[in-house]
Amino acid sequence: DTGVSQDPRHKITKRGQNVTFRCDPISEHNRLYWYRQTLGQGPEFLTYFQNEAQLEKSRLLSDRFSAERPKGSFSTLEIQRTEQGDSAMYLCASSRAGQGAEAFFGQGTRLTVV
Amino acid sequence: KQEVTQIPAALSVPEGENLVLNCSFTDSAIYNLQWFRQDPGKGLTSLLLIQSSQREQTSGRLNASLDKSSGRSTLYIAASQPGDSATYLCAVIGGSTLGRLYFGRGTQLTVWP
């Protein structure tokens, strides 16, 4: 399977715990995005990498959220001191460089904070 | 800020009908528009990508059109089938951001036998 891969698929955590999600993009894609989706809504942009550089961050990405892409390949999204409002589907996407390149999404990580 | 609206929010039709899903966006300075399908609890599957210089794209029973100047796109589904039941999302990539997608809330489609 050469698509975008996310791990884990599901995560249940207690409020206050830290969680980390991983995304492996399509190998030749140098752009990687994180989005968050809540029930009944479209995905909302969180952050974007081109290679290892984090080029854009949404105001939705509070100080408790951090994302890395250390070698320009896989990326991690960490949420510290989780809150119930963090419960959502976290989606990763990748694309080639270039204006308007097609984006491909992974299956997402469903986070439930109890 | 780019705003994307999809109408209708939900649609329920019998099998075999031809459907039109609508998408509108407020800023016409886009690079492309992409239609996605999302099954419950799953990620997004790309259906069609229309570059800003194009007017339409076709894939099988799907046809998407783009009128950039008026800020509109339509997704036409011919001869709908129960397997088409899903949420359909429209997204645009704006000219002022480096590849960020702006999404609508989607149209939830149910096709019954």
Side-chain angles (χ1 to χ4, degrees):
Chain A
D1 186 3
T2 58
V4 179
S5 177
Q6 292 188 245
D7 184 71
R9 292 290 309 279
H10 304 276
K11 178 72 176 179
I12 300 174
T13 191
K14 292 183 179 180
R15 190 175 52 185
Q17 297 294 306
N18 299 342
V19 294
T20 300
F21 309 141
R22 177 179 170 124
C23 172
D24 287 272
I26 294 172
S27 58
E28 62 266 28
H29 288 180
N30 57 6
R31 290 184 175 177
L32 186 147
Y33 311 82
W34 286 98
Y35 290 84
R36 181 173 69 185
Q37 186 180 27
T38 53
L39 197 63
Q41 303 294 318
E44 294 178 293
F45 172 80
L46 292 178
T47 190
Y48 153 63
F49 290 87
Q50 179 145 322
N51 299 314
E52 66 276 8
Q54 188 173 19
L55 297 185
E56 192 174 2
K57 291 171 59 173
S58 165
R59 285 173 292 179
L60 292 174
L61 215 64
S62 75
D63 291 345
R64 297 184 297 105
F65 288 70
S66 62
E68 294 183 341
R69 195 183 182 197
K71 297 182 180 179
S73 57
F74 72 92
S75 175
T76 58
L77 177 68
E78 181 183 18
I79 309 174
Q80 297 182 327
R81 304 181 303 282
T82 53
E83 302 172 355
Q84 285 189 324
D86 297 330
S87 296
M89 174 78 88
Y90 290 84
L91 294 162
C92 177
S94 70
S95 72
R96 298 179 186 274
Q99 296 176 356
E102 187 172 6
F104 295 88
F105 280 76
Q107 289 298 297
T109 294
R110 166 71 66 188
L111 173 66
T112 303
V113 182
V114 298
Chain B
K1 180 190 171 186
Q2 180 73 266
E3 300 282 347
V4 180
T5 303
Q6 290 189 246
I7 295 173
L11 188 59
S12 180
V13 299
E15 181 177 8
E17 283 208 358
N18 301 325
L19 311 170
V20 176
L21 309 182
N22 297 291
C23 172
S24 62
F25 46 95
T26 54
D27 186 348
S28 62
I30 64 169
Y31 284 131
N32 71 24
L33 184 144
Q34 204 166 346
W35 282 94
F36 294 90
R37 169 187 173 135
Q38 187 173 33
D39 293 290
K42 305 291 186 181
L44 278 64
T45 300
S46 180
L47 296 174
L48 289 165
L49 172 76
I50 310 177
Q51 300 288 354
S52 61
S53 58
Q54 297 175 316
R55 295 300 297 257
E56 66 179 277
Q57 279 285 352
T58 298
S59 175
R61 294 182 294 107
L62 305 179
N63 175 276
S65 67
L66 174 63
D67 185 341
K68 186 180 165 184
S69 60
S70 67
R72 295 180 182 178
S73 176
T74 60
L75 179 66
Y76 177 82
I77 304 176
S80 58
Q81 304 170 357
D84 295 331
S85 298
T87 296
Y88 290 80
L89 292 158
C90 164
V92 297
I93 294 182
S96 60
T97 60
L98 299 174
R100 177 203 291 204
L101 284 163
Y102 291 88
F103 283 87
R105 290 187 175 184
T107 295
Q108 186 174 359
L109 174 65
T110 303
V111 182
W112 40 277

